[in-house]
Amino acid sequence: MLRKIGVIPLAAVIFFTVSGGPYGIEPLIGYAGSYAIPLLMITPLLYDIPIILVVLELNSMMPVEGGYYEWVKRGLGTNWAFFEGWWTWLYTFVDLAIYPVMFVGYAAFFFPEIAAYKIPVCLLIIWSSALLNIIGIVPVGRASIFLGVMVLVPFVVLFLVLLIVHSTPFSIPTPSLHGLGFPPT
């Protein structure tokens, strides 16, 4: 029996596949100051939207399982398709290794004793994720919805607190490089 995933679970899976949430960008504010927010708004327009359009076009022209691998294989041959698959596999390992480490770093802020168990906690996260993927796409979609809510709730709460507590009008500071503490090169 073929089990399919719904639209909302698919959106949650895509959200975590693409970004994993707004965590890990805190140093950007310190480095870029008031330029950080426009930078975070411009990057998707210049980078993500063109890639989305290319994927949509390729998927509508060649709706095959295998995505990038199959598209490269049909366009450039099996050698380049192998390289594309290999490079995707490698960058996925590097990218996915970041998230358990970031989780332990954030959790150690609230529970300092967890830092002593960094490797076992990271392995538990990795093995749990692998098991979830082995079980199937429907549980992955459900878990992604739950995790998406857990990631976004703190930002919604902080935004609501800002709206309730903040009494003066909002103002956006003028962009300036003055006093910006870039590390020496």
Side-chain angles (χ1 to χ4, degrees):
M1 178 173 100
L2 181 65
R3 298 190 322 170
K4 294 184 178 181
I5 189 170
V7 174
I8 293 174
L10 178 62
V13 169
I14 291 171
F15 172 74
F16 281 109
T17 301
V18 173
S19 71
Y23 295 101
I25 61 171
E26 295 88 355
L28 178 65
I29 305 297
Y31 288 130
S34 61
Y35 291 108
I37 302 300
L39 179 65
L40 289 171
M41 294 171 70
I42 291 171
T43 300
L45 295 174
L46 297 178
Y47 181 74
D48 295 337
I49 291 178
I51 290 176
I52 290 168
L53 293 174
V54 167
V55 168
L56 287 172
E57 183 67 24
L58 286 170
N59 196 38
S60 66
M61 287 174 34
M62 295 181 270
V64 294
E65 286 188 30
Y68 294 111
Y69 172 81
E70 286 295 327
W71 301 331
V72 172
K73 185 170 119 180
R74 289 186 184 187
L76 301 172
T78 55
N79 287 339
W80 284 107
F82 170 78
F83 287 127
E84 192 286 325
W86 178 253
W87 292 330
T88 300
W89 194 57
L90 289 177
Y91 89 72
T92 301
F93 277 129
V94 173
D95 183 48
L96 295 181
I98 295 169
Y99 299 113
V101 174
M102 282 177 51
F103 173 80
V104 172
Y106 283 113
F109 178 80
F110 298 104
F111 310 103
E113 47 292 331
I114 200 170
Y117 301 101
K118 186 177 197 171
I119 292 176
V121 171
C122 287
L123 288 174
L124 179 68
I125 293 169
I126 292 167
W127 291 337
S128 300
S129 301
L131 179 64
L132 188 62
N133 278 292
I134 290 168
I135 293 172
I137 189 66
V138 174
V140 168
R142 290 182 185 138
S144 295
I145 291 173
F146 173 75
L147 293 171
V149 169
M150 296 303 292
V151 164
L152 296 176
V153 161
F155 295 95
V156 171
V157 168
L158 287 174
F159 183 73
L160 292 175
V161 168
L162 169 76
L163 290 178
I164 293 168
V165 176
H166 195 18
S167 59
T168 60
F170 294 107
S171 64
I172 298 174
T174 308
S176 170
L177 292 176
H178 178 70
L180 198 59
F182 285 110
T185 54

